[in-house]
Amino acid sequence: MDSEPKRSRQGSETRQKQHRITIRLAESEHAEIEAAAERAGQSVGAFVRSRVLLGAVTRARRRPSVEVQALAKLQAEMNRVGSNIHQMSKRINFGETPASDEIRSAFQGYREVVAAILTTLGRGRR
């Protein structure tokens, strides 16, 4: 009795969407479709499928909005600035005195990130 272990199907073997349709678009048409997909919070493929096909054939994956992506980048920047401030406070606790320009620079970075976050949220100074 020679039994091979059953192989599980993975990746592209299980992919249900294997057919493609290619069309040519003018730059303005392409930009319009991308912008509409972005506003709908969908990928271009999911957006076109939702507009062309009659039934809800697939579950569209929501793409993060531009604001969410911008906030994620700003959060990473805020973490970097916070890390710098934390390192300075550790040095102060060990009796060192950071240079005043280093302190000014760290807090200036903090103020810039906060201003960028407020602008992204529509609450910044105009």
Side-chain angles (χ1 to χ4, degrees), residues 73-91 102-103 105-114 117:
K73 287 180 183 176
L74 290 170
Q75 180 183 14
E77 184 66 19
M78 182 63 86
N79 290 342
R80 185 190 65 76
V81 170
S83 176
N84 290 346
I85 293 171
H86 176 73
Q87 292 298 320
M88 282 190 298
S89 66
K90 277 178 59 175
R91 288 174 41 206
E102 185 180 1
I103 295 170
S105 174
F107 283 99
Q108 179 60 34
Y110 172 78
R111 285 188 292 274
E112 288 170 4
V113 174
V114 168
I117 289 170

Side-chain angles (χ1 to χ4, degrees), residues 3-124:
S3 65
E4 280 187 35
K6 201 172 191 179
R7 259 182 25 140
S8 64
R9 292 174 13 154
Q10 296 178 353
S12 62
E13 294 174 9
T14 61
R15 207 169 271 135
Q16 294 177 344
K17 296 179 190 105
Q18 297 179 4
H19 300 281
R20 293 177 182 237
I21 295 174
T22 304
I23 61 171
R24 293 183 184 270
L25 299 168
E27 184 68 34
S28 61
E29 293 169 328
H30 185 261
E32 186 177 337
I33 291 171
E34 279 189 327
E38 181 67 38
R39 282 191 304 274
Q42 297 176 318
S43 68
V44 171
F47 176 77
V48 170
R49 249 185 251 103
S50 72
R51 296 303 187 263
V52 173
L53 300 175
L54 297 177
V57 178
T58 62
R59 183 182 61 163
R61 219 182 280 166
R62 291 263 178 210
R63 289 177 47 188
S65 69
V66 173
E67 291 82 10
V68 171
Q69 292 172 354
L71 287 172
K73 287 180 183 176
L74 290 170
Q75 180 183 14
E77 184 66 19
M78 182 63 86
N79 290 342
R80 185 190 65 76
V81 170
S83 176
N84 290 346
I85 293 171
H86 176 73
Q87 292 298 320
M88 282 190 298
S89 66
K90 277 178 59 175
R91 288 174 41 206
I92 290 169
N93 286 336
F94 283 111
E96 276 186 54
T97 304
S100 61
D101 61 325
E102 185 180 1
I103 295 170
R104 261 191 237 94
S105 174
F107 283 99
Q108 179 60 34
Y110 172 78
R111 285 188 292 274
E112 288 170 4
V113 174
V114 168
I117 289 170
L118 292 174
T119 299
T120 301
L121 294 173
R123 300 178 190 163

